Amino acid sequence: MIYARITGTGGYLPEKILTNADLERMVETDDAWIRERTGIQQRHIVGENESTVDLAEIAARRAMEVAGVEGKDLDLIIVATTTPDLVFPSTACLLQHRLGANGCAAFDVQAVCTGFVYALGVAEKFIRAGGTKRALVIGAETLSRIVDWTDRTTCVLFGDGAGAVVLEASEEAGILSVHLHADGAHSDLLSVPCGVSKNRALCEQGGVFIQMKGNEVFKVAVNTLGRIVDETLEAAGLEKADIDWLVPHQANTRIIAATAKKLGLPMERVVLTVAKHGNTSAASVPLALDVAVRDGRIQRGDRLLLEAFGGGFTWGSALIRY
Ligand code: ACO
């Protein structure tokens, strides 16, 4: 049996930090509200001359260094992003050239905050099918570029960053299962309502901004993530007690706490980065994974449950023997 095993993780957050106090000077909000409703204290914001591929490259190099892999060794690069550098070439192609991995398959995946879990699922299937030995999977976002900095209901939530993993074919267990879902019926609750092929005038006049009915999204997220916990455990024939770490998408501590409760996991077994990173969309899960691997909390052999929910709606989970 061939598994896809994580052999390296990496992360990168841009230098500039925007605190809740900074936001108090920009919109009518306050630190206490943001902390209480979201758990967020600060977020990182890209520099003017930085873009998604710059963040992706640093995270990728860090993961490759741990895995002992060079660009020429890669068979596949997948970048999950909602904020690509260009319409095309894909961010994965731009990154591939920088890494000297020219020739391997490279493409982007767009599933908003669930993007990394989707990309992991795709890469895992390439490896299990044979032929692909080493894949680089990245979640990278410059969400600050699609945030309306005058809208207090969204601008306090998001941040920029990138997280990466190297996956390698292995006889040792790695990714045990991936569960992916979407329901396109709810675009009115969470979207950037203009793009290349539709509503271009809206973009040109008003800018390309995230719009969200936060409290409605909140309810769907809590219910949906509760269901996917059951689905993942049932598919693997596992009990709640078999999970060592929950590595969730970092949108809101209250959503994360509800999922942990569903799993019967104390918050000490949940990797929480939302306070310092904010919601970095597709980057949030691999960034959280990298933090907990590097600080020694996650050890080889631990069972991890990764989960995410985001625009689309999309949602998914990955069960991993680390
Ligand atoms: N500061 C102060 N007050 C605020 C702010 C702010 N930044 N934002 C909103 N408020 C006010 C509202 O105007 C409202 O006031 P009112 O009662 O006078 O009308 C009040 O606070 C409550 O607003 P709610 O939206 O009901 O607040 P809620 O407790 O739901 O928290 C939040 C909002 C944090 C957005 C929450 O709903 C949430 O986390 N939603 C889910 C987000 C998510 O997971 N999205 C999916 C991933 S993102 C993606 O895919 C791109």
Side-chain angles (χ1 to χ4, degrees), residues 27-318:
V27 288
E28 202 184 323
T29 190
D30 60 87
D31 175 52
W33 190 96
I34 303 172
R35 281 178 196 246
E36 191 192 310
R37 302 288 177 123
T38 71
I40 300 169
Q41 298 166 18
Q42 62 170 55
R43 65 291 288 145
H44 291 249
I45 305 291
V46 274
E48 223 169 280
N49 298 317
E50 269 179 315
S51 65
T52 297
V53 74
D54 296 318
L55 313 190
E57 182 182 357
I58 300 173
R61 288 192 187 279
R62 289 178 177 168
M64 289 163 68
E65 191 185 344
V66 175
V69 164
E70 292 179 37
K72 64 176 173 44
D73 304 323
L74 295 170
D75 305 311
L76 171 68
I77 298 175
I78 308 180
V79 176
T81 187
T82 310
T83 45
D85 277 41
L86 306 169
V87 171
F88 73 83
S90 68
T91 306
C93 284
L94 301 176
L95 177 66
Q96 183 220 48
H97 181 54
R98 289 190 182 195
L99 296 176
N102 307 61
C104 76
F107 57 91
D108 288 359
V109 159
Q110 215 291 46
V112 199
C113 299
T114 320
F116 178 79
V117 179
Y118 264 71
L120 200 69
V122 174
E124 185 245 354
K125 277 154 196 71
F126 267 81
I127 288 176
R128 280 201 177 213
T132 300
K133 298 266 180 276
R134 285 187 199 88
L136 178 63
V137 182
I138 297 166
E141 301 279 15
T142 48
L143 236 63
S144 62
R145 299 259 155 82
I146 56 167
V147 163
D148 177 354
W149 290 102
T150 65
D151 175 7
R152 70 173 184 172
T153 67
T154 52
C155 77
V156 301
L157 305 173
F158 299 105
D160 300 328
V165 299
V166 173
L167 286 182
E168 296 191 59
S170 168
E171 282 174 12
E172 266 182 81
I175 297 176
L176 303 173
S177 67
V178 179
H179 305 262
L180 303 175
H181 297 280
D183 183 351
H186 305 287
S187 57
D188 56 319
L189 297 184
L190 177 55
S191 69
V192 174
C194 61
V196 178
S197 184
K198 193 168 177 180
N199 300 343
R200 279 183 81 132
L202 199 66
C203 289
E204 281 149 21
Q205 288 155 18
V208 184
F209 297 136
I210 296 171
Q211 292 183 6
M212 178 166 71
K213 291 184 182 146
N215 48 12
E216 291 180 55
V217 175
F218 186 96
K219 286 178 219 149
V220 184
V222 169
N223 289 332
T224 308
L225 290 171
R227 283 205 309 276
I228 208 157
V229 164
D230 288 338
E231 178 188 332
T232 312
L233 293 175
E234 211 177 296
L238 293 178
E239 302 294 324
K240 291 173 181 175
D242 296 324
I243 302 298
D244 297 304
W245 291 100
L246 175 65
V247 187
H249 170 48
Q250 311 282 324
N252 186 312
T253 32
R254 291 184 292 142
I255 296 176
I256 296 171
T259 312
K261 192 171 169 204
K262 175 87 192 175
L263 266 170
L265 267 187
M267 288 307 274
E268 299 78 58
R269 308 302 290 178
V270 179
V271 182
L272 271 179
T273 53
V274 66
K276 301 285 179 212
H277 298 182
N279 179 349
T280 57
S281 190
S284 96
V285 171
L287 266 169
L289 177 66
D290 182 56
V291 166
V293 166
R294 282 180 193 257
D295 69 20
R297 273 178 290 170
I298 292 179
Q299 295 286 322
R300 282 284 170 208
D302 283 352
R303 262 203 210 98
L304 320 179
L305 181 67
L306 279 48
E307 52 84 344
F309 177 90
F313 291 139
T314 55
W315 63 98
S317 67

